């Protein structure tokens, strides 16, 4: 959902989260996340690595940006577009090489 349209008190399903559409909702379900409240306190890098393993290929690093955005949102931050986290992801994890960002 577009972050500008997210209302925290109306978040019930994965597609109610900022930056989550049908494809990301399916990816989250693939790694065992079926409800928004399951994201609170989760490590976005571990979620990303799990998604890469489940899919069998390196996922677009922007998926990690989305995971950062939704874990932060579920921990209380304001909804922001996924690209607001790109610079942080690059600083924190470095480039995504050989299927994994630097830890």
């Amino acid at each position: 959902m577009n972050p500008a349209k997210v209302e925290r008190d109306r978040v019930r399903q994965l597609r109610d989260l900022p930056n989550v559409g049908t494809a990301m909702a399916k990816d989250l379900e693939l790694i065992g996340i079926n409800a928004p409240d399951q994201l609170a306190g989760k490590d976005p890098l571990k979620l990303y690595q799990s998604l890469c393993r489940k899919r069998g290929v390196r996922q677009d690093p922007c998926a990690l940006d989305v995971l950062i955005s939704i874990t932060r949102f579920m921990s209380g931050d304001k909804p922001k577009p996924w690209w607001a986290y790109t610079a942080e992801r690059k600083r924190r994890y470095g480039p995504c090489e050989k299927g994994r960002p630097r830890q």
Side-chain angles (χ1 to χ4, degrees):
M1 175 179 287
N2 181 320
K5 296 181 179 183
V6 172
E7 295 179 40
R8 186 176 297 281
D9 60 339
R10 292 184 166 214
V11 173
R12 305 272 187 275
Q13 56 189 348
L14 295 173
R15 290 195 54 203
D16 295 334
L17 291 165
N19 308 302
V20 175
T22 303
M24 181 54 78
K26 288 179 182 179
D27 285 344
L28 290 166
E29 290 169 350
L30 180 66
I31 59 173
I33 303 293
N34 299 296
D37 62 345
Q38 291 177 283
L39 291 161
K42 294 283 190 204
D43 180 334
L45 179 60
K46 289 182 181 178
L47 294 172
Y48 175 79
Q49 291 169 332
S50 178
L51 180 59
C52 291
R53 280 192 302 276
K54 286 282 188 174
R55 290 278 182 214
V57 295
R58 175 187 164 271
Q59 299 298 293
D60 187 308
C62 296
L64 179 52
D65 299 343
V66 172
L67 293 167
I68 294 169
S69 80
I70 61 179
T71 54
R72 295 273 179 81
F73 175 76
M74 289 308 298
S75 294
D77 285 6
K78 292 181 181 182
K80 296 179 186 174
W82 61 266
W83 58 86
Y85 297 94
T86 302
E88 175 188 341
R89 180 226 333 138
K90 289 178 178 180
R91 274 191 316 274
R92 187 169 183 185
Y93 302 118
C96 293
E97 296 172 355
K98 297 182 183 177
R100 293 185 204 127
R102 185 181 68 226
Q103 294 184 22

